[in-house]
Amino acid sequence: MQPWFDQQTAGMVGGMLGAGVGVFFGGVLGGVGGPLAAKGKCRSLVMGGFVLAIVTGLGLIATGVVALAMGQPWHVWYSFLLPGFITTVVMGSLFPVMRMAYRRAEQRRLDAASIRGTGAQGAS
């Protein structure tokens, strides 16, 4: 079996994958999603981003497993498994936290509407 890439390239691939998913999903999505969830804004965008992160992580894991099953050297499959595992675990564990933040924001909105006496239908 011919390796997909050598060890030096594996370091670059693993580093770019890890940095890419870390910056985009962890940094941007986490940094923007937290305040938006607390305010109850852009729910479908933020939660969709978390689903995309989890699916991306699972895709990286699947690629690593395929490489392992094909008999690729450790530096090839490890370059996919590590960032995939980290992305899936971190974003998968934060998904319920974000969902709860949106539920709390919705409950605050409903409570405020009932205090104002407008009811849930009058608030938008």
Side-chain angles (χ1 to χ4, degrees):
M1 171 64 47
Q2 180 72 18
W4 292 349
F5 39 79
D6 61 12
Q7 283 186 332
Q8 185 176 3
T9 306
M12 290 189 305
V13 168
M16 287 189 296
L17 284 173
V21 297
V23 166
F24 180 72
F25 293 126
V28 175
L29 185 60
V32 172
L36 287 174
K39 293 179 182 182
K41 305 286 184 186
C42 300
R43 180 183 182 124
S44 61
L45 178 69
V46 172
M47 297 308 287
F50 271 81
V51 170
L52 178 63
I54 294 166
V55 169
T56 300
L58 291 173
L60 289 171
I61 290 172
T63 304
V65 168
V66 166
L68 182 62
M70 291 178 64
Q72 291 292 320
W74 74 272
H75 62 268
V76 174
W77 53 262
Y78 188 78
S79 298
F80 295 104
L81 280 179
L82 183 63
F85 179 76
I86 292 172
T87 302
T88 303
V89 168
V90 170
M91 300 308 275
S93 64
L94 288 175
F95 186 83
V97 173
M98 295 300 285
R99 191 171 52 202
M100 184 59 68
Y102 276 107
R103 286 183 182 160
R104 279 192 229 119
E106 177 66 15
Q107 188 60 49
R108 283 192 308 271
R109 187 187 70 76
L110 292 173
D111 291 345
S114 67
I115 290 171
R116 285 192 305 266
T118 60
Q121 295 171 348
S124 44

